[in-house]
Amino acid sequence: MFYHNNTHYQHGDEAATGILITNLGTPDAPTKQALKPYLKEFLWDPRVVEPPPARWLWWLILNGIILNTRPAKSAEAYKEVWGSEGPGSPLLDITQRQLDGISEQLRPQFKGKVVFELAMRYGNPSIESALKKLEAQGVQRLIVLPLYPQYAGATTASTFDKVTQVLRGWRWLPEIRFVNHYHRHPGYIKALANSIREHQAEHGKPDLLVMSYHGVPKRYLDNGDPYHCECHVTSRLVAEELGLEKPEYRVTFQSLFGKEEWIKPYTDATMKALPAEGVKHVQVICPGFSADCLETIEEIDGENREYFEEAGGEKFSYIKALNSRHDHTEALSDVILQHTQGWYERDGFDADADAAEREKVKANARAMGCPF
């Protein structure tokens, strides 16, 4: 293993707490050329697609079939949402605003130096590039917050894999804390409930509220992944906050891929069946998505709206993701504060004493002939 030198470090430098927020990822552009490397990185991750023992078979399927057909189709879908929340990818544009909101709320809570970066698990800005920026700013304590409220091996654990893969090449490691989930955090639940109330104040109450989450293969659940359970916990807590009874809301799962069975019920099949059940007015929210993206804008507010209306539904509305709402960034900030208790830059920090100590360290290092 090669451990790179930290060429940024100098004795007496001010240490910092680093806050890294991450999300799934986005291609650099809505084009076939940009989608191919993005999808290859995403679908080759063994956390995302847990293949049979013969991994070489999945390699053949991925490179021989999927990457020759799917990029063009995905590019067309991305073109429909590109620029909807800013100049480029909606996920990246929104995540940047989320980081700005978190930074604004957290800076006053840290008496010492605190720095912020965002990264995508796949695509750019990469986790590696974000960690290098944090290293260059003297980060000695690092908290990583993947913006996945519900833990899943395919998302949260994959982020942990990548962060630790990068850090394995560092000689100087920061103290690290990693947030696994926040699916029942009171602020997050209240923000979801607030967004639903605000939407219904404008659009009325529906016959049914559907909470749609990204799906995963059923065998992941069978093998012990808690994702399915945490989605139901979030939904129950939101329903309790809103005073909803079980017949008034439903939990479904979207974004199926491949031919195997995924956790059910499926969102698309539900939308096609609801009108026949007498549900004419439906509202859909996606609590597992911290920011609007292809899967919410195009898949839910586009495809699934059509399924519902073509089956005889009369009124469909999508309740936006929490995005950069103040109550959302406030909840995320609180999660970070909970996980940074006891850290030097927060509790009992004395700027004058810190500066004096750093000068002593620097002087002693120079006296012993240290060049940095």
Side-chain angles (χ1 to χ4, degrees):
M1 170 68 76
F2 171 75
Y3 301 99
H4 80 271
N5 292 323
N6 185 347
T7 56
H8 305 289
Y9 179 78
Q10 297 288 320
H11 282 95
D13 279 354
E14 184 180 13
T17 289
I19 296 171
L20 176 63
I21 68 168
T22 73
N23 213 315
L24 187 74
T26 176
D28 293 332
T31 64
K32 176 182 176 181
Q33 294 74 17
L35 260 297
K36 189 168 184 177
Y38 169 72
L39 288 174
K40 184 173 185 178
E41 182 184 13
F42 175 51
L43 295 174
W44 186 241
D45 185 345
R47 290 281 195 180
V48 173
V49 180
E50 298 182 14
R55 187 156 166 79
W56 63 267
L57 179 60
W58 173 238
W59 187 94
L60 290 176
I61 294 171
L62 177 61
N63 289 275
I65 301 174
I66 295 173
L67 293 179
N68 289 320
T69 57
R70 192 174 178 88
K73 181 179 179 182
S74 294
E76 290 303 312
Y78 270 101
K79 286 177 184 177
E80 294 185 21
V81 305
W82 210 260
S84 61
E85 293 287 343
S89 159
L91 181 63
L92 182 56
D93 292 336
I94 293 168
T95 307
Q96 181 60 61
R97 294 201 297 271
Q98 290 172 329
L99 183 66
D100 293 342
I102 291 169
S103 172
E104 182 180 350
Q105 293 177 50
L106 285 183
R107 285 191 186 279
Q109 305 294 326
F110 285 80
K111 297 178 181 179
K113 184 179 178 182
V114 57
V115 293
F116 301 81
E117 291 292 339
L118 70 83
M120 296 291 162
R121 174 61 184 89
Y122 313 102
N124 296 306
S126 68
I127 287 176
E128 183 173 12
S129 68
L131 288 173
K132 284 182 178 179
K133 288 180 181 179
L134 291 169
E135 180 189 36
Q137 296 176 83
V139 165
Q140 293 186 14
R141 282 158 290 280
L142 171 67
I143 179 168
V144 182
L145 173 60
L147 296 180
Y148 311 122
Q150 296 77 27
Y151 174 94
T155 52
T156 318
S158 177
T159 302
F160 179 83
D161 290 347
K162 187 62 179 181
V163 169
T164 52
Q165 178 191 10
V166 174
L167 292 180
R168 282 203 301 271
W170 288 23
R171 184 173 297 279
W172 285 53
L173 288 178
E175 180 180 353
I176 184 169
R177 296 179 184 176
F178 187 91
V179 181
N180 271 12
H181 56 189
Y182 53 94
H183 67 293
R184 59 188 308 154
H185 185 279
Y188 160 67
I189 298 299
K190 287 184 181 297
L192 287 170
N194 288 342
S195 71
I196 295 169
R197 289 191 189 101
E198 291 167 14
H199 184 89
Q200 292 182 352
E202 181 178 353
H203 300 279
K205 289 191 175 181
D207 299 330
L208 183 70
L209 174 68
V210 173
M211 302 188 203
S212 179
Y213 296 82
H214 199 291
V216 296
K218 184 177 179 296
R219 62 188 166 96
Y220 293 12
L221 169 62
D222 294 339
N223 289 336
D225 197 303
Y227 175 71
H228 176 267
C229 304
E230 294 194 356
C231 291
H232 278 278
V233 169
T234 295
S235 298
R236 173 177 54 80
L237 293 174
V238 170
E240 290 174 359
E241 182 73 21
L242 293 170
L244 297 179
E245 300 295 332
K246 280 195 173 181
E248 298 177 280
Y249 74 97
R250 195 172 302 185
V251 178
T252 64
F253 298 90
Q254 63 186 82
S255 307
L256 311 183
F257 177 75
K259 296 182 178 180
E260 71 176 299
E261 182 182 2
W262 284 40
I263 52 178
K264 295 178 179 178
Y266 301 149
T267 301
D268 54 3
T270 300
M271 290 300 137
K272 294 172 183 177
L274 284 178
E277 298 175 19
V279 176
K280 300 297 183 180
H281 179 191
V282 68
Q283 292 174 357
V284 184
I285 189 170
C286 298
F289 292 88
S290 60
D292 278 313
C293 55
L294 185 71
E295 286 82 0
T296 62
I297 301 170
E298 195 270 340
E299 184 180 351
I300 295 298
D301 203 19
E303 292 178 12
N304 280 275
R305 173 191 293 273
E306 292 178 6
Y307 295 148
F308 180 70
E309 292 174 347
E310 289 172 358
E314 297 173 359
K315 189 174 181 181
F316 177 104
S317 59
Y318 166 63
I319 302 171
K320 281 191 170 186
L322 293 177
N323 294 332
S324 55
R325 290 172 56 103
H326 184 269
D327 53 5
H328 184 213
T329 56
E330 188 174 51
L332 296 175
S333 298
D334 188 59
V335 170
I336 292 169
L337 288 174
Q338 288 179 10
H339 284 78
T340 54
Q341 291 184 42
W343 271 3
Y344 185 65
E345 287 78 18
R346 276 198 60 196
D347 302 325
F349 181 81
D350 184 323
D352 292 337
D354 180 68
E357 172 62 19
R358 288 189 285 109
E359 283 301 316
K360 288 181 182 178
V361 169
K362 184 177 180 179
N364 289 340
R366 293 292 184 271
M368 288 186 284
C370 183
F372 55 86

